[in-house]
Amino acid sequence: MASIVYSKQNKHVGFISTRLAGTDGVSLETQKWAAIFEKEGFDCFYCAGELDWPVERSFCIEEAHFRHPEIKEIHAHCFGVVTRDPSITAKTHILARHLKDRLYRFIEKFDIRFLVIENAVTIPINLPLGIAITELIAETGITAIAHHHDFFWERQRFKRNAVWDYLNMAFPPNLPSIRHVVINSSAAHQLALRTGISSHVIPNVMDFENPPPVPDAYAADVRKALGISDDELFILQPTRIVKRKRIELAIELVHRLGTRAKLVISHASGDEGYDYEKRLREYSQMLSVNTLFCCTHIQEKRGITPEGEKVYALSDVYPHSDLVTYPSTYEGFGNAFLEALYFQKPIVVNTYSIYLMDIKPKGFRAIEMDGYISEETLNEVRRVLTDRRYREEMVEHNYAVARRHYSYSVLEKMLTEFIRECIR
């Protein structure tokens, strides 16, 4: 395939990732970016191992998904060890070649002239895909933006590995036609320090110019459906169940509040197994905290369970909550933080590094903890829950600050300027 050159007559952009479906951070931010590309006159097309975009604009490659059996096999033999078997090396290259051939087909089918790589050359959950994308860009010189959400050095489980050669090559690649975007200033610093690659910081955003609608009739019975009575606090933990989310701190918080409450965990366990979920269930029982694991009833979209019960979107649930807990020790940015502000809910946040560096300095008023729950944190939670005026002032202030710094208009301005620089 010959080198690809951008032209004003062809504004076809291809988004590539492992998965572009559901409500994970990468998929949600892709939707926002795609809307701005479309506004700039581009036609957007999508390639991943799972997609919920219009079929006429989608190109599915099963092996692009990080849950594909062959990809999982490679992953299992490359992390947590320091050497790899030659058969795994061979398998990695075979799959990378297959993926690269399919990516060429995607580009040819939709006449793509510009790529946006969504986290697929950032976090190494699909090694062959990252290698394939890197080789394709090296071979074609196609203009690309690598949109980075989570680097491998930010995750403990990737640090012991047998694939430093692949990581240095493709996670991320340092090629002349790739421009790099990160979602926080720490990532920009680390990327430059570790690789010499310069990057542009564009944070995650929400539509703060348009407040959420009042809950409709469908969502009116959320508390009843989840078994939360009117005299109980509804405390929402709106995250996946993974260790870095430190959900045990939310359980401890509910226990120490000493009042009738239910803790609702919205999402299922992630790709790190189920041991942590088992631990949370045991810990909840130890502390006599009524913790509800609600991934069956809270999903990406409304629907019906196999038993005929209603399924709610997360946006249906937020308005009914009294408090949001976000005790993570690490986040690439913090979408759940923005969601709590968008739905004007008070939030308890662990002071993870990106919050301290990028978010807190904007002037937000959150209930903070620093790795553990202090009496000061408990007292602030109690005040927020019992002092209506104090609570309303807090959430209204936070919404106004978020609108200034993390609204769609901010993203549109930053990304539009960056796109124009890339295609100049």
Side-chain angles (χ1 to χ4, degrees), residues 345-380:
K345 297 298 175 180
I347 183 169
V348 183
V349 60
N350 205 352
T351 52
Y352 61 94
S353 60
I354 305 309
Y355 169 80
L356 288 175
M357 292 178 64
D358 288 8
I359 299 175
K360 182 177 180 177
K362 302 293 192 299
F364 292 107
R365 292 170 56 189
I367 306 166
E368 295 181 351
M369 67 175 81
D370 187 13
Y372 65 96
I373 298 168
S374 64
E375 281 298 322
E376 183 181 0
T377 299
L378 281 170
N379 290 336
E380 181 69 0

mmCIF file of all heavy atoms in Angstrom, residues 345-380:
data_model
loop_
_atom_site.group_PDB
_atom_site.id
_atom_site.type_symbol
_atom_site.label_atom_id
_atom_site.label_comp_id
_atom_site.label_asym_id
_atom_site.label_seq_id
_atom_site.Cartn_x
_atom_site.Cartn_y
_atom_site.Cartn_z
ATOM 1 N N LYS A 345 -23.946 15.553 42.600
ATOM 2 C CA LYS A 345 -23.893 14.730 43.804
ATOM 3 C C LYS A 345 -22.582 14.994 44.546
ATOM 4 O O LYS A 345 -21.524 15.148 43.918
ATOM 5 C CB LYS A 345 -23.983 13.243 43.444
ATOM 6 C CG LYS A 345 -25.292 12.857 42.767
ATOM 7 C CD LYS A 345 -26.488 13.110 43.680
ATOM 8 C CE LYS A 345 -27.804 12.855 42.980
ATOM 9 N NZ LYS A 345 -28.960 13.102 43.890
ATOM 10 N N PRO A 346 -22.617 15.035 45.873
ATOM 11 C CA PRO A 346 -21.360 15.150 46.621
ATOM 12 C C PRO A 346 -20.542 13.879 46.442
ATOM 13 O O PRO A 346 -21.097 12.783 46.314
ATOM 14 C CB PRO A 346 -21.837 15.320 48.069
ATOM 15 C CG PRO A 346 -23.204 14.715 48.102
ATOM 16 C CD PRO A 346 -23.800 14.938 46.741
ATOM 17 N N ILE A 347 -19.220 14.035 46.449
ATOM 18 C CA ILE A 347 -18.356 12.895 46.174
ATOM 19 C C ILE A 347 -17.245 12.807 47.199
ATOM 20 O O ILE A 347 -16.651 13.816 47.587
ATOM 21 C CB ILE A 347 -17.775 12.967 44.741
ATOM 22 C CG1 ILE A 347 -16.919 11.736 44.424
ATOM 23 C CG2 ILE A 347 -17.002 14.263 44.517
ATOM 24 C CD1 ILE A 347 -16.528 11.606 42.964
ATOM 25 N N VAL A 348 -16.990 11.580 47.660
ATOM 26 C CA VAL A 348 -15.848 11.284 48.521
ATOM 27 C C VAL A 348 -14.749 10.735 47.625
ATOM 28 O O VAL A 348 -14.938 9.711 46.964
ATOM 29 C CB VAL A 348 -16.212 10.245 49.599
ATOM 30 C CG1 VAL A 348 -15.012 10.010 50.523
ATOM 31 C CG2 VAL A 348 -17.419 10.695 50.402
ATOM 32 N N VAL A 349 -13.608 11.410 47.597
ATOM 33 C CA VAL A 349 -12.551 11.031 46.661
ATOM 34 C C VAL A 349 -11.243 10.799 47.406
ATOM 35 O O VAL A 349 -10.876 11.565 48.300
ATOM 36 C CB VAL A 349 -12.375 12.115 45.558
ATOM 37 C CG1 VAL A 349 -12.001 13.455 46.158
ATOM 38 C CG2 VAL A 349 -11.345 11.684 44.522
ATOM 39 N N ASN A 350 -10.571 9.698 47.057
ATOM 40 C CA ASN A 350 -9.215 9.487 47.525
ATOM 41 C C ASN A 350 -8.308 10.421 46.719
ATOM 42 O O ASN A 350 -8.534 10.628 45.525
ATOM 43 C CB ASN A 350 -8.804 8.033 47.304
ATOM 44 C CG ASN A 350 -7.724 7.573 48.246
ATOM 45 O OD1 ASN A 350 -7.147 8.353 48.986
ATOM 46 N ND2 ASN A 350 -7.449 6.279 48.227
ATOM 47 N N THR A 351 -7.305 10.982 47.338
ATOM 48 C CA THR A 351 -6.489 11.992 46.649
ATOM 49 C C THR A 351 -5.445 11.317 45.756
ATOM 50 O O THR A 351 -4.243 11.386 46.002
ATOM 51 C CB THR A 351 -5.814 12.926 47.669
ATOM 52 O OG1 THR A 351 -5.126 12.132 48.652
ATOM 53 C CG2 THR A 351 -6.845 13.792 48.366
ATOM 54 N N TYR A 352 -5.927 10.645 44.711
ATOM 55 C CA TYR A 352 -5.027 10.017 43.744
ATOM 56 C C TYR A 352 -4.260 11.101 42.989
ATOM 57 O O TYR A 352 -4.647 12.271 42.949
ATOM 58 C CB TYR A 352 -5.791 9.082 42.805
ATOM 59 C CG TYR A 352 -6.860 9.717 41.952
ATOM 60 C CD1 TYR A 352 -6.580 10.156 40.660
ATOM 61 C CD2 TYR A 352 -8.175 9.869 42.407
ATOM 62 C CE1 TYR A 352 -7.555 10.722 39.856
ATOM 63 C CE2 TYR A 352 -9.159 10.438 41.621
ATOM 64 C CZ TYR A 352 -8.841 10.867 40.349
ATOM 65 O OH TYR A 352 -9.817 11.430 39.553
ATOM 66 N N SER A 353 -3.155 10.725 42.389
ATOM 67 C CA SER A 353 -2.190 11.716 41.898
ATOM 68 C C SER A 353 -2.771 12.669 40.861
ATOM 69 O O SER A 353 -2.512 13.881 40.903
ATOM 70 C CB SER A 353 -0.961 11.002 41.323
ATOM 71 O OG SER A 353 -1.327 10.146 40.249
ATOM 72 N N ILE A 354 -3.563 12.159 39.914
ATOM 73 C CA ILE A 354 -4.090 13.023 38.860
ATOM 74 C C ILE A 354 -5.110 14.006 39.430
ATOM 75 O O ILE A 354 -5.197 15.159 38.989
ATOM 76 C CB ILE A 354 -4.715 12.182 37.720
ATOM 77 C CG1 ILE A 354 -3.689 11.176 37.187
ATOM 78 C CG2 ILE A 354 -5.210 13.081 36.602
ATOM 79 C CD1 ILE A 354 -2.341 11.757 36.818
ATOM 80 N N TYR A 355 -5.857 13.557 40.421
ATOM 81 C CA TYR A 355 -6.777 14.472 41.101
ATOM 82 C C TYR A 355 -5.991 15.628 41.721
ATOM 83 O O TYR A 355 -6.368 16.803 41.576
ATOM 84 C CB TYR A 355 -7.565 13.713 42.167
ATOM 85 C CG TYR A 355 -8.346 14.608 43.096
ATOM 86 C CD1 TYR A 355 -9.570 15.153 42.711
ATOM 87 C CD2 TYR A 355 -7.862 14.922 44.371
ATOM 88 C CE1 TYR A 355 -10.283 15.988 43.556
ATOM 89 C CE2 TYR A 355 -8.569 15.753 45.222
ATOM 90 C CZ TYR A 355 -9.772 16.289 44.821
ATOM 91 O OH TYR A 355 -10.472 17.120 45.656
ATOM 92 N N LEU A 356 -4.898 15.310 42.397
ATOM 93 C CA LEU A 356 -4.109 16.356 43.055
ATOM 94 C C LEU A 356 -3.426 17.282 42.055
ATOM 95 O O LEU A 356 -3.358 18.492 42.268
ATOM 96 C CB LEU A 356 -3.055 15.718 43.962
ATOM 97 C CG LEU A 356 -3.574 15.057 45.245
ATOM 98 C CD1 LEU A 356 -2.435 14.354 45.978
ATOM 99 C CD2 LEU A 356 -4.235 16.085 46.153
ATOM 100 N N MET A 357 -2.938 16.719 40.943
ATOM 101 C CA MET A 357 -2.165 17.505 39.994
ATOM 102 C C MET A 357 -3.030 18.330 39.053
ATOM 103 O O MET A 357 -2.747 19.512 38.814
ATOM 104 C CB MET A 357 -1.251 16.590 39.164
ATOM 105 C CG MET A 357 -0.139 15.941 39.948
ATOM 106 S SD MET A 357 0.849 14.830 38.919
ATOM 107 C CE MET A 357 1.550 15.986 37.735
ATOM 108 N N ASP A 358 -4.100 17.718 38.520
ATOM 109 C CA ASP A 358 -4.844 18.349 37.437
ATOM 110 C C ASP A 358 -6.240 18.822 37.820
ATOM 111 O O ASP A 358 -6.725 19.807 37.262
ATOM 112 C CB ASP A 358 -4.976 17.368 36.262
ATOM 113 C CG ASP A 358 -3.663 17.159 35.522
ATOM 114 O OD1 ASP A 358 -2.635 17.648 35.999
ATOM 115 O OD2 ASP A 358 -3.674 16.488 34.479
ATOM 116 N N ILE A 359 -6.891 18.115 38.716
ATOM 117 C CA ILE A 359 -8.318 18.371 38.968
ATOM 118 C C ILE A 359 -8.537 19.294 40.165
ATOM 119 O O ILE A 359 -9.189 20.337 40.044
ATOM 120 C CB ILE A 359 -9.070 17.031 39.170
ATOM 121 C CG1 ILE A 359 -8.966 16.171 37.903
ATOM 122 C CG2 ILE A 359 -10.527 17.286 39.517
ATOM 123 C CD1 ILE A 359 -9.567 14.777 38.036
ATOM 124 N N LYS A 360 -7.991 18.962 41.302
ATOM 125 C CA LYS A 360 -8.196 19.770 42.507
ATOM 126 C C LYS A 360 -7.791 21.237 42.320
ATOM 127 O O LYS A 360 -8.503 22.136 42.804
ATOM 128 C CB LYS A 360 -7.447 19.155 43.689
ATOM 129 C CG LYS A 360 -7.668 19.919 44.990
ATOM 130 C CD LYS A 360 -6.973 19.252 46.165
ATOM 131 C CE LYS A 360 -7.213 20.055 47.442
ATOM 132 N NZ LYS A 360 -6.596 19.395 48.631
ATOM 133 N N PRO A 361 -6.664 21.522 41.639
ATOM 134 C CA PRO A 361 -6.270 22.928 41.488
ATOM 135 C C PRO A 361 -7.295 23.804 40.752
ATOM 136 O O PRO A 361 -7.217 25.041 40.830
ATOM 137 C CB PRO A 361 -4.955 22.848 40.691
ATOM 138 C CG PRO A 361 -4.411 21.502 41.029
ATOM 139 C CD PRO A 361 -5.610 20.611 41.132
ATOM 140 N N LYS A 362 -8.253 23.177 40.059
ATOM 141 C CA LYS A 362 -9.289 23.964 39.388
ATOM 142 C C LYS A 362 -10.245 24.612 40.398
ATOM 143 O O LYS A 362 -10.998 25.517 40.044
ATOM 144 C CB LYS A 362 -10.089 23.069 38.425
ATOM 145 C CG LYS A 362 -9.251 22.375 37.358
ATOM 146 C CD LYS A 362 -8.663 23.362 36.368
ATOM 147 C CE LYS A 362 -8.065 22.681 35.153
ATOM 148 N NZ LYS A 362 -6.964 21.764 35.406
ATOM 149 N N GLY A 363 -10.245 24.109 41.650
ATOM 150 C CA GLY A 363 -11.089 24.720 42.670
ATOM 151 C C GLY A 363 -12.296 23.916 43.092
ATOM 152 O O GLY A 363 -13.222 24.467 43.703
ATOM 153 N N PHE A 364 -12.308 22.624 42.825
ATOM 154 C CA PHE A 364 -13.440 21.787 43.216
ATOM 155 C C PHE A 364 -13.496 21.596 44.734
ATOM 156 O O PHE A 364 -12.472 21.652 45.422
ATOM 157 C CB PHE A 364 -13.353 20.419 42.535
ATOM 158 C CG PHE A 364 -13.544 20.477 41.048
ATOM 159 C CD1 PHE A 364 -12.479 20.298 40.182
ATOM 160 C CD2 PHE A 364 -14.797 20.713 40.511
ATOM 161 C CE1 PHE A 364 -12.653 20.354 38.812
ATOM 162 C CE2 PHE A 364 -14.993 20.772 39.133
ATOM 163 C CZ PHE A 364 -13.913 20.603 38.285
ATOM 164 N N ARG A 365 -14.698 21.365 45.224
ATOM 165 C CA ARG A 365 -14.922 21.079 46.635
ATOM 166 C C ARG A 365 -15.405 19.635 46.769
ATOM 167 O O ARG A 365 -16.573 19.331 46.523
ATOM 168 C CB ARG A 365 -15.952 22.044 47.224
ATOM 169 C CG ARG A 365 -15.466 23.476 47.317
ATOM 170 C CD ARG A 365 -16.601 24.427 47.670
ATOM 171 N NE ARG A 365 -17.283 24.030 48.912
ATOM 172 C CZ ARG A 365 -18.408 24.602 49.344
ATOM 173 N NH1 ARG A 365 -18.980 25.563 48.614
ATOM 174 N NH2 ARG A 365 -18.952 24.205 50.475
ATOM 175 N N ALA A 366 -14.492 18.742 47.110
ATOM 176 C CA ALA A 366 -14.820 17.334 47.298
ATOM 177 C C ALA A 366 -14.517 16.945 48.736
ATOM 178 O O ALA A 366 -13.749 17.619 49.429
ATOM 179 C CB ALA A 366 -14.022 16.465 46.337
ATOM 180 N N ILE A 367 -15.129 15.860 49.178
ATOM 181 C CA ILE A 367 -14.803 15.280 50.486
ATOM 182 C C ILE A 367 -13.601 14.362 50.262
ATOM 183 O O ILE A 367 -13.696 13.392 49.522
ATOM 184 C CB ILE A 367 -15.985 14.484 51.045
ATOM 185 C CG1 ILE A 367 -17.247 15.353 51.081
ATOM 186 C CG2 ILE A 367 -15.649 13.955 52.443
ATOM 187 C CD1 ILE A 367 -18.522 14.568 51.308
ATOM 188 N N GLU A 368 -12.487 14.687 50.876
ATOM 189 C CA GLU A 368 -11.244 13.994 50.558
ATOM 190 C C GLU A 368 -10.836 12.991 51.633
ATOM 191 O O GLU A 368 -11.137 13.154 52.816
ATOM 192 C CB GLU A 368 -10.117 15.004 50.372
ATOM 193 C CG GLU A 368 -10.300 15.923 49.182
ATOM 194 C CD GLU A 368 -9.168 16.901 49.001
ATOM 195 O OE1 GLU A 368 -8.295 16.987 49.902
ATOM 196 O OE2 GLU A 368 -9.151 17.594 47.962
ATOM 197 N N MET A 369 -10.135 11.963 51.187
ATOM 198 C CA MET A 369 -9.403 11.056 52.071
ATOM 199 C C MET A 369 -8.023 10.862 51.464
ATOM 200 O O MET A 369 -7.839 11.027 50.248
ATOM 201 C CB MET A 369 -10.127 9.715 52.228
ATOM 202 C CG MET A 369 -10.174 8.880 50.959
ATOM 203 S SD MET A 369 -10.902 7.248 51.196
ATOM 204 C CE MET A 369 -12.634 7.620 51.133
ATOM 205 N N ASP A 370 -7.069 10.532 52.299
ATOM 206 C CA ASP A 370 -5.697 10.347 51.824
ATOM 207 C C ASP A 370 -5.242 8.932 52.138
ATOM 208 O O ASP A 370 -4.377 8.706 52.976
ATOM 209 C CB ASP A 370 -4.773 11.377 52.468
ATOM 210 C CG ASP A 370 -3.353 11.337 51.886
ATOM 211 O OD1 ASP A 370 -3.170 10.691 50.827
ATOM 212 O OD2 ASP A 370 -2.444 11.925 52.496
ATOM 213 N N GLY A 371 -5.866 7.965 51.454
ATOM 214 C CA GLY A 371 -5.484 6.569 51.622
ATOM 215 C C GLY A 371 -6.203 5.854 52.747
ATOM 216 O O GLY A 371 -6.140 4.626 52.838
ATOM 217 N N TYR A 372 -6.862 6.596 53.622
ATOM 218 C CA TYR A 372 -7.618 5.984 54.713
ATOM 219 C C TYR A 372 -8.716 6.961 55.136
ATOM 220 O O TYR A 372 -8.686 8.156 54.778
ATOM 221 C CB TYR A 372 -6.710 5.656 55.907
ATOM 222 C CG TYR A 372 -6.109 6.875 56.566
ATOM 223 C CD1 TYR A 372 -6.711 7.450 57.691
ATOM 224 C CD2 TYR A 372 -4.949 7.456 56.076
ATOM 225 C CE1 TYR A 372 -6.176 8.578 58.293
ATOM 226 C CE2 TYR A 372 -4.401 8.579 56.668
ATOM 227 C CZ TYR A 372 -5.019 9.139 57.776
ATOM 228 O OH TYR A 372 -4.489 10.258 58.368
ATOM 229 N N ILE A 373 -9.687 6.461 55.887
ATOM 230 C CA ILE A 373 -10.820 7.283 56.311
ATOM 231 C C ILE A 373 -10.544 7.847 57.700
ATOM 232 O O ILE A 373 -10.444 7.095 58.677
ATOM 233 C CB ILE A 373 -12.120 6.462 56.308
ATOM 234 C CG1 ILE A 373 -12.417 5.982 54.887
ATOM 235 C CG2 ILE A 373 -13.291 7.289 56.834
ATOM 236 C CD1 ILE A 373 -13.488 4.939 54.808
ATOM 237 N N SER A 374 -10.401 9.154 57.768
ATOM 238 C CA SER A 374 -10.142 9.825 59.031
ATOM 239 C C SER A 374 -11.452 10.312 59.647
ATOM 240 O O SER A 374 -12.502 10.333 59.000
ATOM 241 C CB SER A 374 -9.212 11.017 58.812
ATOM 242 O OG SER A 374 -9.867 11.984 57.990
ATOM 243 N N GLU A 375 -11.379 10.749 60.887
ATOM 244 C CA GLU A 375 -12.536 11.345 61.529
ATOM 245 C C GLU A 375 -12.956 12.621 60.804
ATOM 246 O O GLU A 375 -14.147 12.924 60.712
ATOM 247 C CB GLU A 375 -12.232 11.649 63.001
ATOM 248 C CG GLU A 375 -12.299 10.438 63.908
ATOM 249 C CD GLU A 375 -13.685 9.810 63.948
ATOM 250 O OE1 GLU A 375 -14.687 10.562 63.926
ATOM 251 O OE2 GLU A 375 -13.778 8.561 63.973
ATOM 252 N N GLU A 376 -11.977 13.333 60.278
ATOM 253 C CA GLU A 376 -12.279 14.554 59.528
ATOM 254 C C GLU A 376 -13.125 14.233 58.295
ATOM 255 O O GLU A 376 -14.096 14.937 57.984
ATOM 256 C CB GLU A 376 -10.980 15.253 59.114
ATOM 257 C CG GLU A 376 -11.186 16.569 58.391
ATOM 258 C CD GLU A 376 -9.882 17.216 57.984
ATOM 259 O OE1 GLU A 376 -8.805 16.642 58.267
ATOM 260 O OE2 GLU A 376 -9.941 18.310 57.384
ATOM 261 N N THR A 377 -12.748 13.156 57.584
ATOM 262 C CA THR A 377 -13.530 12.738 56.417
ATOM 263 C C THR A 377 -14.942 12.350 56.834
ATOM 264 O O THR A 377 -15.924 12.755 56.196
ATOM 265 C CB THR A 377 -12.848 11.545 55.724
ATOM 266 O OG1 THR A 377 -11.551 11.923 55.267
ATOM 267 C CG2 THR A 377 -13.676 11.077 54.527
ATOM 268 N N LEU A 378 -15.061 11.573 57.896
ATOM 269 C CA LEU A 378 -16.383 11.156 58.370
ATOM 270 C C LEU A 378 -17.246 12.347 58.748
ATOM 271 O O LEU A 378 -18.438 12.402 58.404
ATOM 272 C CB LEU A 378 -16.229 10.232 59.576
ATOM 273 C CG LEU A 378 -15.870 8.772 59.305
ATOM 274 C CD1 LEU A 378 -15.529 8.069 60.610
ATOM 275 C CD2 LEU A 378 -16.997 8.055 58.585
ATOM 276 N N ASN A 379 -16.664 13.309 59.446
ATOM 277 C CA ASN A 379 -17.424 14.485 59.867
ATOM 278 C C ASN A 379 -17.900 15.297 58.668
ATOM 279 O O ASN A 379 -19.016 15.823 58.670
ATOM 280 C CB ASN A 379 -16.575 15.349 60.795
ATOM 281 C CG ASN A 379 -16.353 14.698 62.147
ATOM 282 O OD1 ASN A 379 -17.145 13.856 62.571
ATOM 283 N ND2 ASN A 379 -15.274 15.074 62.822
ATOM 284 N N GLU A 380 -17.051 15.381 57.650
ATOM 285 C CA GLU A 380 -17.452 16.124 56.455
ATOM 286 C C GLU A 380 -18.578 15.395 55.724
ATOM 287 O O GLU A 380 -19.520 16.022 55.229
ATOM 288 C CB GLU A 380 -16.242 16.308 55.532
ATOM 289 C CG GLU A 380 -16.513 17.082 54.261
ATOM 290 C CD GLU A 380 -16.794 18.563 54.474
ATOM 291 O OE1 GLU A 380 -16.782 19.025 55.642
ATOM 292 O OE2 GLU A 380 -17.021 19.267 53.466
#
